[in-house]
Coordinates of all heavy atoms in Angstrom, one line a residue:
G300 N 9.3 -0.8 -7.5 CA 9.0 -1.7 -6.5 C 7.7 -2.5 -6.7 O 7.7 -3.7 -6.5
L301 N 6.7 -1.9 -7.2 CA 5.4 -2.5 -7.5 C 5.6 -3.6 -8.7 O 5.1 -4.6 -8.6 CB 4.3 -1.5 -7.8 CG 3.8 -0.7 -6.6 CD1 3.0 0.4 -7.1 CD2 3.1 -1.6 -5.7
A302 N 6.3 -3.2 -9.7 CA 6.6 -4.1 -10.8 C 7.4 -5.3 -10.3 O 7.1 -6.4 -10.7 CB 7.3 -3.3 -11.9
A303 N 8.3 -5.0 -9.5 CA 9.1 -6.1 -8.9 C 8.2 -7.1 -8.1 O 8.4 -8.3 -8.1 CB 10.3 -5.7 -8.1
L304 N 7.4 -6.5 -7.3 CA 6.5 -7.3 -6.5 C 5.5 -8.2 -7.4 O 5.2 -9.3 -7.1 CB 5.7 -6.5 -5.5 CG 6.4 -5.9 -4.3 CD1 5.6 -5.0 -3.6 CD2 7.0 -7.0 -3.5
D305 N 5.1 -7.6 -8.6 CA 4.3 -8.4 -9.5 C 5.1 -9.6 -10.0 O 4.5 -10.7 -10.1 CB 3.8 -7.5 -10.7 CG 2.7 -6.6 -10.3 OD1 2.1 -6.8 -9.2 OD2 2.5 -5.6 -11.0
F306 N 6.3 -9.4 -10.4 CA 7.2 -10.5 -10.8 C 7.3 -11.5 -9.8 O 7.1 -12.8 -10.0 CB 8.6 -10.1 -11.2 CG 8.7 -9.6 -12.6 CD1 9.0 -8.3 -13.0 CD2 8.6 -10.5 -13.7 CE1 9.1 -7.9 -14.2 CE2 8.7 -10.1 -15.0 CZ 9.0 -8.8 -15.3
A307 N 7.5 -11.1 -8.5 CA 7.6 -12.1 -7.4 C 6.3 -12.8 -7.1 O 6.4 -14.0 -6.9 CB 8.1 -11.3 -6.1
A308 N 5.2 -12.1 -7.2 CA 3.9 -12.8 -7.0 C 3.6 -13.8 -8.0 O 3.0 -14.8 -7.8 CB 2.8 -11.7 -6.9
K309 N 4.0 -13.6 -9.2 CA 3.8 -14.5 -10.3 C 4.8 -15.6 -10.4 O 4.7 -16.6 -11.1 CB 3.8 -13.8 -11.7 CG 2.6 -12.8 -11.8 CD 2.7 -12.0 -13.1 CE 1.6 -10.9 -13.2 NZ 1.8 -10.0 -14.3
G310 N 5.8 -15.5 -9.6 CA 6.9 -16.6 -9.5 C 7.8 -16.6 -10.7 O 8.5 -17.6 -10.9
G311 N 7.7 -15.5 -11.5 CA 8.5 -15.5 -12.7 C 9.9 -14.8 -12.4 O 10.1 -14.2 -11.4
V312 N 10.8 -15.0 -13.4 CA 12.1 -14.3 -13.4 C 12.0 -13.1 -14.3 O 11.6 -13.2 -15.4 CB 13.2 -15.3 -13.8 CG1 14.5 -14.6 -13.8 CG2 13.2 -16.5 -12.9
A313 N 12.5 -12.0 -13.7 CA 12.4 -10.8 -14.5 C 13.6 -10.8 -15.5 O 14.7 -11.3 -15.2 CB 12.6 -9.6 -13.6
P314 N 13.3 -10.4 -16.8 CA 14.4 -10.4 -17.8 C 15.5 -9.4 -17.5 O 15.3 -8.4 -16.7 CB 13.6 -9.9 -19.1 CG 12.2 -9.9 -18.7 CD 12.0 -9.9 -17.2
E315 N 16.7 -9.7 -18.0 CA 17.8 -8.9 -17.7 C 17.6 -7.5 -18.2 O 18.1 -6.5 -17.6 CB 19.1 -9.5 -18.4 CG 19.7 -10.6 -17.5 CD 20.1 -10.1 -16.1 OE1 20.8 -9.1 -16.0 OE2 19.8 -10.8 -15.1
D316 N 17.0 -7.3 -19.4 CA 16.8 -5.9 -19.9 C 15.9 -5.1 -19.0 O 16.1 -3.9 -18.7 CB 16.3 -5.8 -21.3 CG 15.0 -6.6 -21.6 OD1 14.6 -7.4 -20.7 OD2 14.3 -6.2 -22.5
W317 N 14.9 -5.8 -18.4 CA 14.0 -5.1 -17.5 C 14.8 -4.7 -16.2 O 14.6 -3.6 -15.7 CB 12.8 -6.0 -17.1 CG 11.9 -5.5 -16.0 CD1 10.8 -4.7 -16.2 CD2 12.0 -5.6 -14.6 NE1 10.2 -4.3 -15.0 CE2 10.9 -4.9 -14.0 CE3 12.9 -6.3 -13.8 CZ2 10.8 -4.8 -12.6 CZ3 12.7 -6.2 -12.4 CH2 11.6 -5.5 -11.9
K318 N 15.6 -5.7 -15.7 CA 16.4 -5.3 -14.6 C 17.3 -4.2 -14.8 O 17.4 -3.3 -13.9 CB 17.3 -6.6 -14.2 CG 18.2 -6.3 -13.0 CD 19.2 -7.5 -12.8 CE 20.2 -7.2 -11.8 NZ 21.2 -8.3 -11.7
A319 N 17.9 -4.1 -16.0 CA 18.8 -3.0 -16.3 C 18.1 -1.6 -16.3 O 18.6 -0.6 -15.8 CB 19.5 -3.2 -17.6
Q320 N 16.8 -1.6 -16.9 CA 16.1 -0.4 -16.9 C 15.7 0.1 -15.5 O 15.8 1.2 -15.1 CB 14.8 -0.7 -17.7 CG 15.0 -0.8 -19.2 CD 13.8 -1.2 -19.9 OE1 12.8 -1.7 -19.3 NE2 13.9 -1.1 -21.2
Q321 N 15.3 -0.9 -14.6 CA 14.9 -0.6 -13.3 C 16.0 -0.1 -12.4 O 15.9 0.9 -11.7 CB 14.1 -1.8 -12.6 CG 13.0 -2.4 -13.4 CD 12.1 -1.4 -14.0 OE1 11.5 -0.5 -13.4 NE2 11.9 -1.5 -15.3
L322 N 17.2 -0.7 -12.6 CA 18.4 -0.3 -11.9 C 18.8 1.1 -12.3 O 19.3 1.9 -11.5 CB 19.5 -1.3 -12.0 CG 19.3 -2.6 -11.4 CD1 20.4 -3.5 -11.7 CD2 19.0 -2.5 -9.9
A323 N 18.6 1.5 -13.5 CA 18.9 2.9 -13.9 C 17.9 3.9 -13.3 O 18.4 4.9 -12.9 CB 18.7 3.0 -15.5
V324 N 16.7 3.5 -13.1 CA 15.7 4.4 -12.4 C 16.2 4.5 -10.9 O 16.2 5.6 -10.4 CB 14.3 3.8 -12.5 CG1 13.4 4.5 -11.6 CG2 13.8 3.8 -13.9
I325 N 16.5 3.4 -10.4 CA 17.0 3.4 -8.9 C 18.2 4.3 -8.8 O 18.3 5.1 -7.9 CB 17.2 2.0 -8.5 CG1 15.9 1.3 -8.4 CG2 17.9 2.0 -7.1 CD1 16.0 -0.2 -8.2
E326 N 19.2 4.1 -9.6 CA 20.4 4.9 -9.6 C 20.2 6.4 -9.7 O 20.7 7.2 -9.0 CB 21.5 4.5 -10.6 CG 22.1 3.2 -10.3 CD 22.7 3.1 -9.0 OE1 23.5 4.0 -8.6 OE2 22.5 2.1 -8.2
Q327 N 19.2 6.8 -10.6 CA 18.9 8.2 -10.7 C 18.3 8.7 -9.4 O 18.5 9.8 -9.0 CB 17.9 8.3 -11.9 CG 17.4 9.8 -12.1 CD 18.5 10.7 -12.4 OE1 19.5 10.4 -13.1 NE2 18.4 12.0 -12.0
A328 N 17.4 7.9 -8.8 CA 16.7 8.3 -7.6 C 17.7 8.4 -6.4 O 17.4 9.1 -5.4 CB 15.7 7.3 -7.2
K329 N 18.8 7.7 -6.4 CA 19.8 7.7 -5.3 C 20.6 9.0 -5.3 O 21.1 9.4 -4.3 CB 20.8 6.6 -5.5 CG 20.2 5.2 -5.1 CD 21.3 4.2 -5.3 CE 20.9 2.8 -4.8 NZ 22.0 1.8 -5.0
K330 N 20.5 9.7 -6.5 CA 21.3 11.0 -6.5 C 20.6 12.0 -5.7 O 19.4 12.2 -5.8 CB 21.4 11.5 -7.9 CG 22.2 10.5 -8.8 CD 22.3 11.0 -10.2 CE 23.1 10.1 -11.1 NZ 23.0 10.5 -12.6
P331 N 21.3 12.6 -4.7 CA 20.7 13.6 -3.8 C 20.2 14.8 -4.6 O 20.8 15.3 -5.5 CB 21.7 14.0 -2.8 CG 23.0 13.4 -3.3 CD 22.7 12.5 -4.4
K332 N 19.0 15.3 -4.2 CA 18.4 16.5 -4.8 C 17.8 17.3 -3.6 O 17.2 16.7 -2.7 CB 17.3 16.2 -5.8 CG 17.8 15.4 -7.0 CD 16.6 14.8 -7.8 CE 17.1 14.0 -8.9 NZ 17.5 12.6 -8.4
S333 N 18.0 18.6 -3.6 CA 17.3 19.4 -2.6 C 17.7 19.0 -1.2 O 16.8 19.0 -0.3 CB 15.8 19.4 -2.7 OG 15.5 19.9 -4.0
Q334 N 18.9 18.5 -1.0 CA 19.3 18.1 0.4 C 18.5 16.9 0.9 O 18.4 16.7 2.1 CB 19.2 19.3 1.4 CG 20.0 20.5 1.0 CD 21.5 20.3 1.1 OE1 22.0 19.5 1.9 NE2 22.2 21.0 0.2

Side-chain angles (χ1 to χ4, degrees):
L301 289 167
L304 288 174
D305 283 343
F306 272 112
K309 293 174 184 172
V312 176
E315 279 300 313
D316 61 334
W317 177 87
K318 176 185 173 186
Q320 292 171 346
Q321 305 318 302
L322 292 177
V324 171
I325 293 166
E326 286 306 313
Q327 179 63 33
K329 285 181 177 180
K330 295 177 182 176
K332 296 170 189 75
S333 303
Q334 304 290 330

